[in-house]
């Protein structure tokens, strides 16, 4: 397993925010926490391609939103936030180095990678403030020849689909049913986040291992009780930029 990651921008305090209020971000601590996140990926066996910080792109640490990496091809996104569109050109060379076929979502489509949840050959895409039906239609036709089925999923009250639901394995999801209709995921065993931990559904799956933020102890216990091996990392400063754990990497099979 490989990952693309990008160091925290010194301008992260100017990040986009949609569903949370602005709080001061300790940039030095954000760097440190991001470094620990990258170390954690490496300990779990991931070979990490570390891209340099982009001083002019405040949200560029959140690489997940800029590209969808499938085994067969890559799809560069067109982020919903105008301020984030230049991040796509910034990551394109690194993407072209790992995939020969690289497609791109075009206007009027907008889509953030945080809205795209792949489980096997199923691809769920959140109809969020960032991702629209035009992009979902483009993605569906790009992926059809490769046997993927794409499903648009309505959602509310959170930034991205993967704020509300992620996969723990090919047959189990971790979900906050207040933010997304659990009926879209009935083919999977569902573990619900703890009531007091609305933001806990965003976890990274690396093979059989799970990586989640350290600030959700009740949901951690639920996931462990379901038999998953979980590592945790403190990402408090990145959470102030409305990020979590999936957004700081693009994982792919080399
Ligand atoms: C944004 O609003 O776009 C960034 N401040 C946070 C993006 C987080 N991305 C993600 O969870 N995939």
């Amino acid at each position: 397993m490989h990952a693309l990651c990008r160091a925290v921008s010194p301008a992260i305090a100017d990040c986009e925010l949609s569903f949370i209020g602005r709080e001061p971000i300790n940039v030095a601590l954000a760097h440190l926490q991001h470094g620990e996140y990258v170390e954690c990926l490496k300990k779990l066996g991931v070979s990490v391609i570390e891209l340099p910080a982009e001083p002019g792109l405040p949200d560029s640490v959140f690489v997940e939103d800029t590209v969808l990496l499938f085994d067969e091809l890559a799809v560069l996104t067109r982020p919903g936030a105008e301020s984030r569109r230049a991040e796509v050109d910034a990551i394109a060379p690194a993407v072209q180095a790992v995939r020969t076929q690289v497609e791109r979502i075009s206007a009027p489509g907008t889509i953030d990678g945080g809205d795209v949840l792949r489980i096997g050959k199923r691809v769920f895409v959140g109809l969020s403030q960032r991702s629209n039906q035009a992009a979902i239609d483009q993605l569906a036709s790009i992926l059809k020849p490769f046997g993927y089925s794409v499903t648009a999923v309505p959602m509310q009250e959170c930034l991205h689909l993967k704020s509300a639901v992620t996969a723990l394995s090919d047959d189990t999801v971790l979900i906050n049913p207040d933010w997304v209709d659990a009926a879209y995921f009935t083919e999977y065993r569902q573990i619900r986040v703890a009531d007091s931990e609305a933001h806990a559904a965003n976890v990274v799956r690396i093979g059989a291992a799970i990586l989640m933020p350290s600030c959700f102890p009740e949901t951690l216990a639920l996931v462990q009780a379901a038999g998953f091996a979980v590592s945790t990392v403190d990402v408090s400063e990145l959470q102030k930029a409305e990020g979590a754990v999936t957004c700081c990497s693009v994982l792919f099979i080399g």
Side-chain angles (χ1 to χ4, degrees), residues 114-198:
D115 277 318
V116 181
L117 172 62
R118 186 184 67 78
I119 310 177
K121 288 284 187 180
R122 301 292 312 274
V123 179
F124 299 93
V125 188
L127 276 166
S128 69
Q129 286 185 2
R130 301 288 176 87
S131 301
N132 62 20
Q133 189 64 49
I136 295 172
D137 293 344
Q138 290 176 36
L139 185 63
S141 68
I142 290 168
L143 293 180
K144 198 167 177 214
F146 302 98
Y148 293 94
S149 72
V150 176
T151 305
V153 182
M155 42 171 286
Q156 67 277 324
E157 292 176 53
C158 64
L159 183 59
H160 289 130
L161 180 66
K162 280 188 279 191
S163 317
V165 57
T166 58
L168 292 164
S169 67
D170 275 347
D171 61 15
T172 306
V173 294
L174 180 63
I175 189 165
N176 176 344
D178 291 337
W179 288 350
V180 67
D181 186 351
Y184 279 83
F185 299 94
T186 45
E187 69 206 81
Y188 305 100
R189 174 168 69 131
Q190 299 186 4
I191 298 176
R192 295 181 171 210
V193 297
D195 287 344
S196 58
E197 296 175 346

Side-chain angles (χ1 to χ4, degrees), residues 73-86:
L73 78 163
V75 182
L76 294 168
T77 67
R78 184 166 180 270
E82 181 101 46
S83 72
R84 301 200 58 191
R85 303 244 165 100

Side-chain angles (χ1 to χ4, degrees), residues 212-224:
M212 62 184 288
S214 53
C215 58
F216 302 121
E218 290 181 40
T219 304
L220 168 66
L222 294 171
V223 173
Q224 286 174 325

Side-chain angles (χ1 to χ4, degrees), residues 19-167:
F19 291 89
I20 63 171
R22 201 167 290 276
E23 285 182 67
I25 295 177
N26 180 332
V27 180
L29 184 54
H31 274 292
L32 209 77
Q33 291 178 344
H34 185 261
E36 283 165 7
Y37 171 89
V38 168
E39 280 314 304
C40 214
L41 291 181
K42 290 179 181 170
K43 274 196 205 122
L44 292 169
V46 179
S47 154
V48 181
I49 301 166
E50 297 181 63
L51 304 171
E54 287 281 356
L57 299 172
D59 278 309
S60 51
V61 65
F62 303 125
V63 283
E64 169 183 60
D65 295 319
T66 60
V67 60
L68 315 174
L69 261 169
F70 297 90
D71 293 350
E72 306 86 347
L73 78 163
V75 182
L76 294 168
T77 67
R78 184 166 180 270
E82 181 101 46
S83 72
R84 301 200 58 191
R85 303 244 165 100
E87 293 176 34
V88 178
D89 284 339
I91 205 159
V95 172
Q96 279 148 2
V98 300
R99 287 291 180 271
T100 45
Q101 183 173 352
V102 180
E103 304 291 340
R104 192 164 184 150
I105 300 297
S106 56
T110 64
I111 191 165
D112 284 8
D115 277 318
V116 181
L117 172 62
R118 186 184 67 78
I119 310 177
K121 288 284 187 180
R122 301 292 312 274
V123 179
F124 299 93
V125 188
L127 276 166
S128 69
Q129 286 185 2
R130 301 288 176 87
S131 301
N132 62 20
Q133 189 64 49
I136 295 172
D137 293 344
Q138 290 176 36
L139 185 63
S141 68
I142 290 168
L143 293 180
K144 198 167 177 214
F146 302 98
Y148 293 94
S149 72
V150 176
T151 305
V153 182
M155 42 171 286
Q156 67 277 324
E157 292 176 53
C158 64
L159 183 59
H160 289 130
L161 180 66
K162 280 188 279 191
S163 317
V165 57
T166 58

